[in-house]
Amino acid sequence: MLAKNKPSLLVTIGAIAILIGGGVAAYFVLTARRTIRDVPLGANIVPQDALLAVSVSTSPQKWQTLQQYGTSQSQAAFEQLLMQGRDRIFTDQGYDFEQDIQPWIGNEVMMAWLPDPALVSGQPSPSGDTPRQSPMASARILLLPIANPLRAQEILTARKSLNQGEILERNYRGIDIFETQGRLQNYSIAVLDREFLLVSDDPRATDRAIDTYRGDTSLAATPGYSAAVQQIRNSQAFAQVYLNIPVAASLASMTAAQPIPPESLEQLKRHQGFATTAILRDNGINFQGISWLRPNTDRKLTVGNSTDGMLRRIPDTAIMTLGGSNLKQFWSDYNQGANANPIAPFNPQALAASLQESIGMELQRDFLSWMDGEFSLSVITAISNPDTPQRFMAGLIFMVRVSDRNAADTALQTIR
């Protein structure tokens, strides 16, 4: 069944057909609004301060390809998870994805996580509501583009009964919103003209998305966003992910073990965003990412990446490879503000101190000084032990092209 190939959509899409009742048809006669092109469609409705936004393809073929990855055990677990989601959302409520959702849905859907504005700003909420105490408790919205309005009207206006709870209706800025009450997981939905079906797990998030639809600043209007995603956009992409770095920094700083100095936090917020595209290949998933700074920042980075020579030296059994053209420059850029960055993968000063303590050598002087060529870090699958074939075995390989052979030999001999 096609629904088994839709893991990220099952839980949220299922509520759509359950929630929609009479009154939806009136929205399909309205004219679609203008949008910013060359970005995921949902980005025009997601509020600009969204923490995370994920655009996912609805292509059955791509979901089938995704399901083929992994071992037979992981594939079976994945299929079981999808079947449970299908039964809980569709079958139990009398709906089928192929018959009730697929006929009208567009090519890609977008899910976004919206943090409480009061939590990000540190100011009391205007409504007097208590802000969520955890950044991970962000509200979620799901935007499903309507590719076939007539078919959507036919299907979604057919009222379905709930096993428990009831549906309440309210209006916000001229748009009817349907909300479930008395269920284990409540949802609210709204039809945005002829374009989108909006689903949310928080009424406030629904209102914020409608505000954006009515003209508030959207994710698509974020400085640098459109230009950045166009560079990594691919017609064959399965998913695209965007991370709002200033918002992520603010939320992460609230949960850091030690308070982050304001000047360090401000330096981190010079970064605007990070985006990556996932493309499904026959031999794995290919990721292409890009990050960019906020407008008018005084920080400048040296950009360049020519790693063709290094990549030819990596075995084709590599699971994942990270590489660049100048390790010394990369480390220098990363080192700027990373010590106070709560979302940095590791602390560069801690690594240098550990190296000094373990072998008595300085990272910058004894190693990075001659590491200004291509570099790569790869995860390579190892030959399995015939006695334990079920165990996954892998190793790390680090390679760097040296610019000073004598300095490199001296450093390696000292380690011995």
Side-chain angles (χ1 to χ4, degrees):
M1 181 178 179
L2 182 59
K4 294 193 294 183
N5 293 320
K6 297 276 184 178
S8 66
L9 303 180
L10 286 175
V11 175
T12 45
I13 293 180
I16 297 168
I18 299 172
L19 293 171
I20 299 251
V24 173
Y27 288 104
F28 291 96
V29 300
L30 300 177
T31 302
R33 64 196 292 269
R34 298 179 63 182
T35 60
I36 297 177
R37 298 182 178 181
D38 298 323
V39 299
L41 290 177
N44 290 279
I45 304 175
V46 172
Q48 189 178 61
D49 64 349
L51 168 64
L52 186 71
V54 181
S55 177
V56 182
S57 170
T58 60
S59 167
Q61 291 76 19
K62 292 177 182 177
W63 280 97
Q64 291 168 2
T65 300
L66 179 66
Q67 194 172 358
Q68 295 171 4
Y69 294 142
T71 64
S72 57
Q73 292 86 349
S74 66
Q75 291 173 0
F78 184 48
E79 183 174 357
Q80 182 179 8
L81 178 64
L82 298 183
M83 291 179 63
Q84 291 174 350
R86 177 203 63 188
D87 293 340
R88 181 173 63 254
I89 300 301
F90 291 107
T91 306
D92 292 349
Q93 303 298 338
Y95 286 91
D96 179 85
F97 184 86
E98 289 182 327
Q99 296 180 11
D100 301 323
I101 305 298
Q102 186 183 3
W104 58 263
I105 197 170
N107 294 329
E108 61 181 9
V109 301
M110 174 170 278
M111 178 176 284
W113 283 256
L114 306 182
D116 193 308
L119 189 63
V120 176
S121 65
Q123 302 298 323
S125 173
S127 64
D129 296 330
T130 302
R132 290 177 170 83
Q133 298 302 311
S134 169
M136 298 306 293
S138 302
R140 292 168 296 177
I141 63 173
L142 179 69
L143 292 161
L144 297 97
I146 299 173
N148 188 333
L150 295 179
R151 186 67 173 132
Q153 176 185 349
E154 176 185 345
I155 294 174
L156 298 179
T157 53
R159 177 180 293 276
K160 298 290 183 176
S161 61
L162 294 171
N163 290 339
Q164 56 181 345
E166 60 179 331
I167 296 177
L168 302 180
E169 181 179 351
R170 65 184 178 92
N171 186 283
Y172 180 73
R173 300 190 67 173
I175 293 180
D176 286 339
I177 302 172
F178 301 87
E179 297 176 345
T180 57
Q181 298 291 325
R183 293 174 60 84
L184 186 62
Q185 174 63 68
N186 293 328
Y187 290 95
S188 65
I189 69 96
V191 178
L192 307 180
D193 298 343
R194 298 172 60 91
E195 295 184 279
F196 287 93
L197 197 62
L198 166 66
V199 184
S200 171
D201 61 359
D202 188 317
R204 292 174 298 180
T206 301
D207 293 351
R208 293 185 60 204
I210 293 175
D211 287 337
T212 305
Y213 185 74
R214 290 302 194 203
D216 283 5
T217 308
S218 69
L219 167 60
T222 299
Y225 175 79
S226 178
V229 298
Q230 286 182 46
Q231 294 186 52
I232 61 173
R233 196 161 175 81
N234 188 299
S235 60
Q236 301 302 315
F238 169 74
Q240 187 176 99
V241 180
Y242 163 77
L243 174 67
N244 188 325
I245 295 181
V247 172
S250 296
L251 297 179
S253 66
M254 300 182 66
T255 59
Q258 297 180 350
I260 300 175
E263 59 274 11
S264 298
L265 188 59
E266 188 62 30
Q267 184 180 28
L268 180 60
K269 289 183 177 181
R270 295 176 181 175
H271 298 266
Q272 178 61 65
F274 170 79
T276 185
T277 294
I279 304 172
L280 305 182
R281 304 296 190 190
D282 292 339
N283 58 349
I285 304 177
N286 177 272
F287 292 93
Q288 183 177 4
I290 187 172
S291 62
W292 65 99
L293 302 174
R294 303 184 79 170
N296 303 320
T297 180
D298 57 355
R299 185 181 181 187
K300 303 298 181 182
L301 299 177
T302 301
V303 180
N305 188 8
S306 56
T307 58
D308 292 343
M310 185 64 70
L311 293 178
R312 288 195 292 268
R313 301 175 184 272
I314 299 174
D316 58 7
T317 55
I319 302 175
M320 180 179 69
T321 296
L322 301 176
S325 57
N326 188 324
L327 180 60
K328 183 179 178 180
Q329 182 64 53
F330 170 81
W331 186 263
S332 175
D333 292 338
Y334 177 81
N335 200 44
Q336 296 183 37
N339 295 324
N341 184 350
I343 60 176
F346 58 87
N347 188 311
Q349 296 300 325
L351 178 61
S354 176
L355 186 67
Q356 176 73 37
E357 181 179 353
S358 60
I359 62 177
M361 301 178 70
E362 295 184 9
L363 177 62
Q364 183 67 43
R365 181 194 65 193
D366 297 322
F367 293 98
L368 291 176
S369 61
W370 46 268
M371 292 183 173
D372 53 359
E374 294 181 55
F375 68 95
S376 66
L377 179 64
S378 306
V379 179
I380 308 293
T381 55
I383 299 177
S384 301
N385 188 329
D387 298 329
T388 57
Q390 72 280 7
R391 294 186 59 186
F392 174 76
M393 303 180 66
L396 289 175
I397 294 181
F398 170 72
M399 291 190 291
V400 60
R401 183 182 294 276
V402 304
S403 57
D404 188 334
R405 177 60 181 269
N406 292 333
D409 287 341
T410 300
L412 296 179
Q413 291 173 2
T414 302
I415 296 177
R416 297 177 186 174

